[in-house]
Amino acid sequence: MYSVKNTLNRKKPGLQVWRIENLDLKPVPKALHGSFFTGDAYLLLFTTSAPSYNIHMWLGDECSQDESGAVAIFSTQLDDFLGGGPVQYRELQNAESNTFLGYFKSGIKYQKGGVASGFQHVVTNDMNVKRLLHIKGRRAIRATEVEMSWGSFNKGDCFIVDLGKDIYQWCGSECNRFERLKASGVGIDIRDNERNGRAKLHMVEEGEEPAAIIEVTQSNLSWYISQPHVEDFTSNTPDDEKVDTSNRKKGALYMVSDISDNSGSMKVSAVSPSSPFKQAMLSPEECFILDNGVDNNIFVWKGPKANSAERKAAMSVGQQFIKDKGYSNKTQIQVLPAGGETTLFKQFFSDWRDKDETTGPSKAYTIGRIAKVDQVPFDASSLHSNKAMAAQHGMVDDGKGKIQIWRVEGERVPVDPSLYGHFYGGDCYLILYSYRLSGREQHIIYTWQGLKCTQDELAASAFLTVKLDDSMGGSPVQVRVTQGQEPPHLMSLFQGKPMIIHSGGTSRKGGQSTTGSTRLFHIRQSSSRATRAVEVSVCASNLNTNDVFVLKSPSALYVWRGVGASDEELAASKHVVAFLGGNAQSVSEGSEPADFWAALGGKKGYQTSKSLQNTVKAPRLFGCSNKTGRLTVEEVPGDFNQSDLAIDDVMLLDTWEQIFLWVGNDANAEERTGAPKIAKEYVDTDPSGRKGLPITTIKQGAEPPTFTGWFQAWDPKMWEMNPLDRIRAPANKLTSESPLSFRMDRFIRRNRSEQ
C-alpha cells in the first residue's frame, strides 16, 4: 500500500485512478481518465465532500490473472486504509455499473494493448497517432478501438478516425442525431484532453470521406459500399443485452458465515428466495449476499459486527457465488458496509430505514449525489421562480386556478361543485386544472382512478383523458393518479379544505353503497402544506403519532390528535367532522377513553416514532427506445442534465413520489404507446413495494416546473439550436460578445452544417 498512500488524497473530492503496472499501482493522469487499455486492470477511488468513498476495480477483457489478483488485493487494502467504509465495485469491460459510467459523461474509451505491450498512459501532443474508435451506446457511451480498416465500419454507427492533428467523426448514413451528438462529445474529449486542444475536429458523412481517411485505411471505398447492409445494433452487442423488464430487480438473500471463527472458509445459506425483504433479516453479526443475478448484479453486505475474515473475504465470496450460480462473468459485484448502502441495494427492502428514519424506504442519495440536490422549503409565493422547489414539492402553482371535475360513466358527467374535494373508491374522475404561467395559459388533466372501480371505468377514464387532451390541441400535461397516491398539487386545488378520499362507494346518483357503521379517517399535511383525509381500515394499528384521525362509531365521534400532529391537520379535521355529522369529542394521544379503543376493536401497537420529514430522494432518468428493433429501457448514468433528453425517445424520470414520461418530438408511435406500459410495470415491479404512483405525461417544449426543476440550469430554448452546434459552441474561439464576433460565429456554424 506504500504507493497508494504516496499518491492518495483521501480528503479531496473527485476521482483518482491507478493502473496495475508490474503488480504495483501507478497514477493515471487526470486528462486521460476514462481511457482504459483492454489488457490492464485499474483501481479507482471516488471521494465525495462528506467524505464518503467508492472503490472500483476495473478489469479489461485481456488482463492477466496476476493483474486481476493484484487489483483485488489493492482494493481490499485500500478499503482497510479508509476504515472499511467505502462501497466496493467490481467492474468488467463492457459491463460497467451506472455509478462507474457516471464519472465519464463523455464516454469511456477502450484502447488495445496494455502494460505488457509497452503501452503507457501519457498526455502527449504526438501527432502520429493512428487509431479507429467505434462509438456505441445512446446513454452509456463506449468508444472501442478496432482495426483501422473499412471492414470495421457500419452504416448504423459513428466512428472516430483519430489521426493526431486531425480527428474525424465519421457518421454512418443510418445513425441518428442523438448518436451523432454523443460521438461529438467523444471527439471533443480527445481533442481537449489527449491533444491539449492542439487538434482539429472534422465531421464526415458516409460517402464523403476525405483523402486522409481513405489513405489511412489502406483501401478504397468500393469494398465497403459493396457490402450487404449492416444493422445499427446487432443482437450480441453489450448495449442490447437487456434483461426482460418482467424480471427486473428480482432478488434472493443469502447469509455468508465463517465455518469456524476467522478460519477463512465460508458457508453460504439461503435466507429468503425472493424480494422484497425485511431489513431485520440483515443480522449485524453476519455478511449477506443479495442475489440480483437476473439483472447482472450481486451485492455483498458487511455486517458491522461480522468477524474480520468474513468482511475481508466479501469480494472473493461474491466472485465464487457468481461461478457457483453459473452467472455471466460480466455480472457486477458491489460490496457494501453497513451504513453505506446504495439506493439500488435498499430498494429491495420494503421497510428499509436509515438511522433515525421511521417511515418508508430510504430517501438517501447514492454516493456522489448527496451534495447535488438540497431540500428546498415550500414557499408558495416563489413557485414560478424557484423550479427546484416546484419540482421537489410537485407544485406548478398555489392551486388557485380554474378547476373542472367530471365523473366517468362511459362519458364525462360533471360533478356538483359542492362535492369538489370528495373522491370515492368506486369511481374514476377527470380533473381539468387551468392556470397561467409566464403569460400563457397552461392545463393539467388529472385522471383519478379509485381502487374499487371496474375495468370498464378504468378503460373509459384513459379513453376520455386522451379525448379531452386531443380537444385541447394536445397541450395539457396528463397525470394518472391512483387512489391513495395523490400528488400535493392535486390536494391543493380545494383551497383550505382537505381532499377527502372515501375507501369505496360511489358518488353517482342512485349508486351509493351503504357505508360501514364505524369509519376512520387519517389526516396528514404534505410538505407543500396541502392536506388529505383518507379513509383507512378501522384498526388501532393504523394510528400514527404524527397525525390526526377522525373516528366515527354508531355512538360517538372522536378527533384524535397525535403528539406530533400539526395545528393545520387539526383544523382540517373540522371538515371531515362536518361531513360525517355529529358533535366531536377531542382526544389527545395518551388520554384515550376505553370506548375509543373499543370502537377500534381493541388497543394495539402503532407508529409512535417521530417521522423523518421532507427528505429528498435522488431522481433517476431512463430512456425508452426501440432503436434496436424492440422496446428497451436504459438508465442514464451519473448526474443527468437536459441534454440527456433524447428528442427521438420517450424518457422516464423517477422522482420517487411520482413518475414523469417525457415525449420527445421525434419519438415514434411504438415508443409513445409502449412507454406508459413500461412506466406502470416499472412501478408495479419495484422491489421496495411502491405501488400506484402518479404517472405524468408531458411533451417536449411544454414542460412544467415540476419537471424542469429536476434539471440544473434548464434552458427552454435549448431545442431551438441544432444540438451538434450547441455541443461545439464552447470550443469556438470567437467568444467575444461584440456583434461582429457573434455574426462571424453564426456564419461559421451555418457553413459547417451545410458542408
Side-chain angles (χ1 to χ4, degrees):
M1 282 299 293
Y2 175 80
S3 60
V4 174
K5 289 183 180 180
N6 283 353
T7 60
L8 172 66
N9 188 335
R10 61 189 296 173
K11 294 183 178 179
K12 181 181 179 181
L15 186 66
Q16 299 175 71
V17 183
W18 299 268
R19 180 169 72 155
I20 302 297
E21 296 189 12
N22 299 319
L23 304 186
D24 203 353
L25 292 174
K26 184 174 181 180
V28 174
K30 185 175 182 180
L32 298 180
H33 287 182
S35 183
F36 300 90
F37 286 108
T38 59
D40 288 336
Y42 293 78
L43 184 68
L44 295 85
L45 174 67
F46 183 80
T47 306
T48 73
S49 57
S52 58
Y53 306 98
N54 285 343
I55 296 174
H56 303 261
M57 57 177 189
W58 185 91
L59 307 176
D61 283 346
E62 300 167 4
C63 81
S64 67
Q65 286 291 329
D66 287 343
E67 290 170 327
S68 176
V71 75
I73 293 172
F74 281 122
S75 176
T76 300
Q77 291 178 341
L78 181 57
D79 180 66
D80 286 343
F81 180 66
L82 295 172
V87 175
Q88 298 179 58
Y89 299 78
R90 185 183 72 145
E91 309 286 359
L92 299 168
Q93 181 182 335
N94 279 314
E96 294 85 357
S97 67
N98 269 347
T99 301
F100 182 91
L101 295 171
Y103 303 144
F104 313 104
K105 292 299 285 185
S106 295
I108 57 179
K109 297 184 284 292
Y110 301 137
Q111 297 179 254
K112 291 182 178 179
V115 173
S117 306
F119 291 93
Q120 299 297 319
H121 278 290
V122 180
V123 180
T124 177
N125 294 320
D126 181 9
M127 297 303 177
N128 295 318
V129 176
K130 290 183 180 180
R131 62 177 177 170
L132 177 63
L133 298 175
H134 182 188
I135 312 301
K136 289 289 290 183
R138 290 173 59 79
R139 277 158 270 276
I141 309 302
R142 294 179 172 90
T144 305
E145 186 173 355
V146 294
E147 182 183 358
M148 182 68 82
S149 164
W150 282 114
S152 299
F153 288 75
N154 70 65
K155 296 174 179 290
D157 289 335
C158 292
F159 292 77
I160 299 292
V161 183
D162 183 5
L163 302 183
K165 66 179 181 180
D166 290 292
I167 302 168
Y168 297 90
Q169 178 183 332
W170 184 94
C171 302
S173 58
E174 297 177 8
C175 69
N176 61 45
R177 284 178 293 178
F178 197 67
E179 291 163 340
R180 292 167 182 256
L181 180 65
K182 293 298 184 179
S184 289
V186 176
I188 289 172
D189 183 69
I190 294 172
R191 181 197 63 195
D192 293 347
N193 291 319
E194 296 189 27
R195 302 295 132 72
N196 289 328
R198 295 182 176 89
K200 294 181 179 179
L201 183 59
H202 310 269
M203 284 285 291
V204 177
E205 297 294 327
E206 177 187 341
E208 300 177 1
E209 294 79 6
I213 292 183
I214 296 175
E215 180 181 352
V216 78
T217 55
Q218 301 175 351
S219 180
N220 59 38
L221 294 180
S222 59
W223 181 91
Y224 168 69
I225 295 174
S226 66
Q227 295 307 299
H229 172 75
V230 182
E231 292 296 332
D232 187 352
F233 295 99
T234 54
S235 60
N236 61 352
T237 58
D239 287 329
D240 299 329
E241 293 174 353
K242 303 297 180 185
V243 178
D244 187 88
T245 54
S246 63
N247 288 326
R248 282 186 81 245
K249 304 175 184 175
K250 299 290 177 63
L253 190 65
Y254 298 83
M255 183 172 70
V256 179
S257 52
D258 201 350
I259 294 178
S260 60
D261 284 348
N262 288 300
S263 69
S265 299
M266 301 298 159
K267 175 185 177 182
V268 177
S269 53
V271 176
S272 178
S274 63
S275 58
F277 312 119
K278 298 293 185 181
Q279 189 177 2
M281 294 176 178
L282 299 176
S283 168
E285 288 81 18
E286 306 291 349
C287 292
F288 292 82
I289 292 175
L290 197 162
D291 177 8
N292 182 216
V294 295
D295 212 17
N296 289 326
N297 286 310
I298 296 295
F299 303 88
V300 185
W301 184 85
K302 299 186 297 184
K305 297 180 181 179
N307 68 44
S308 59
E310 291 173 349
R311 293 170 63 84
K312 289 183 178 181
M315 183 63 76
S316 60
V317 167
Q319 291 174 299
Q320 186 60 46
F321 184 87
I322 289 172
K323 292 180 182 178
D324 293 344
K325 286 288 186 178
Y327 290 151
S328 164
N329 60 2
K330 296 294 187 181
T331 301
Q332 298 168 9
I333 300 175
Q334 293 183 22
V335 177
L336 310 167
E341 298 86 358
T342 61
T343 298
L344 288 179
F345 176 82
K346 288 184 283 191
Q347 67 180 352
F348 287 92
F349 296 81
S350 60
D351 64 342
W352 187 276
R353 297 183 178 99
D354 287 323
K355 185 179 180 181
D356 298 327
E357 185 175 358
T358 61
T359 57
S362 168
K363 297 185 177 183
Y365 287 103
T366 52
I367 290 180
R369 281 255 182 108
I370 199 162
K372 300 284 184 171
V373 184
D374 297 322
Q375 172 67 33
V376 181
F378 183 75
D379 178 8
S381 65
S382 62
L383 271 169
H384 295 308
S385 59
N386 191 335
K387 293 180 180 178
M389 183 193 65
Q392 288 182 20
H393 295 281
M395 300 289 287
V396 297
D397 71 348
D398 57 8
K400 293 182 179 179
K402 181 181 178 182
I403 180 174
Q404 299 177 71
I405 303 179
W406 298 271
R407 187 175 51 254
V408 174
E409 296 184 16
E411 59 182 359
R412 285 188 286 137
V413 177
V415 172
D416 187 333
S418 66
L419 294 177
Y420 280 9
H422 286 265
F423 293 83
Y424 290 80
D427 287 336
C428 289
Y429 299 84
L430 265 59
I431 304 104
L432 174 63
Y433 180 72
S434 304
Y435 66 104
R436 298 193 72 80
L437 178 63
S438 301
R440 295 173 53 193
E441 189 169 46
Q442 308 283 344
H443 306 280
I444 301 174
I445 301 173
Y446 289 105
T447 306
W448 190 93
Q449 299 172 334
L451 293 177
K452 297 183 179 180
C453 66
T454 66
Q455 287 297 317
D456 287 344
E457 288 171 329
L458 284 173
S461 69
F463 171 76
L464 292 174
T465 298
V466 173
K467 189 174 180 181
L468 179 59
D469 180 75
D470 288 344
S471 71
M472 303 180 72
S475 63
V477 170
Q478 298 178 35
V479 184
R480 182 182 65 85
V481 179
T482 302
Q483 177 183 338
Q485 299 288 340
E486 294 77 15
H489 184 258
L490 175 57
M491 293 191 290
S492 76
L493 302 187
F494 308 105
Q495 297 304 305
K497 296 181 180 180
M499 183 177 185
I500 301 176
I501 301 170
H502 305 260
S503 65
T506 175
S507 61
R508 67 184 69 170
K509 293 181 178 180
Q512 288 90 345
S513 57
T514 303
T515 58
S517 59
T518 303
R519 306 177 72 183
L520 180 65
F521 286 83
H522 180 182
I523 301 173
R524 173 176 289 178
Q525 186 181 50
S526 73
S527 60
S528 59
R529 300 175 188 166
T531 308
R532 176 175 54 190
V534 181
E535 186 173 7
V536 296
S537 299
V538 180
C539 182
S541 61
N542 282 325
L543 297 178
N544 189 309
T545 191
N546 301 287
D547 303 320
V548 170
F549 288 76
V550 176
L551 174 63
K552 168 74 171 179
S553 74
S555 59
L557 180 62
Y558 300 97
V559 174
W560 182 89
R561 179 174 184 171
V563 172
S566 68
D567 291 339
E568 290 84 358
E569 289 166 339
L570 184 62
S573 69
K574 297 177 182 178
H575 296 281
V576 180
V577 168
F579 170 76
L580 294 174
N583 295 316
Q585 176 183 345
S586 296
V587 177
S588 297
E589 183 178 8
S591 302
E592 300 87 353
D595 289 346
F596 175 84
W597 295 117
L600 288 173
K603 189 173 183 179
K604 296 180 181 179
Y606 59 88
Q607 177 58 267
T608 58
S609 299
K610 187 176 181 181
S611 296
L612 180 66
Q613 299 290 339
N614 305 333
T615 307
V616 185
K617 285 182 172 63
R620 302 174 68 187
L621 182 66
F622 302 82
C624 306
S625 172
N626 70 341
K627 301 300 183 293
T628 63
R630 57 194 174 93
L631 194 60
T632 59
V633 179
E634 183 181 8
E635 184 168 6
V636 175
D639 296 319
F640 56 79
N641 54 50
Q642 187 180 355
S643 63
D644 288 313
L645 298 173
I647 63 175
D648 56 349
D649 285 341
V650 174
M651 308 294 294
L652 185 153
L653 176 64
D654 178 7
T655 67
W656 190 260
E657 302 296 342
Q658 66 175 323
I659 303 294
F660 290 96
L661 282 177
W662 180 89
V663 182
N665 287 340
D666 295 339
N668 61 41
E670 182 178 347
E671 291 164 346
R672 291 170 184 259
T673 56
K677 299 175 184 177
I678 288 179
K680 185 177 185 303
E681 188 172 1
Y682 170 79
V683 174
D684 291 345
T685 59
D686 190 321
S688 69
R690 286 189 295 170
K691 301 290 183 183
L693 292 185
I695 298 177
T696 301
T697 302
I698 58 180
K699 288 89 173 178
Q700 178 186 339
E703 299 86 357
T706 47
F707 178 82
T708 61
W710 294 107
F711 296 80
Q712 186 174 12
W714 179 272
D715 179 8
K717 297 183 179 180
M718 171 175 281
W719 292 292
E720 294 178 7
M721 176 188 286
N722 185 304
L724 289 174
D725 284 343
R726 185 182 69 247
I727 195 172
R728 295 196 184 97
N732 289 327
K733 301 300 182 181
L734 294 172
T735 57
S736 168
E737 295 181 349
S738 69
L740 176 61
S741 295
F742 177 76
R743 288 196 300 270
M744 181 61 73
D745 175 58
R746 191 168 54 182
F747 172 80
I748 291 172
R749 287 190 282 107
R750 184 174 64 247
N751 279 272
R752 183 169 57 215
S753 65
E754 293 173 353
Q755 292 176 353

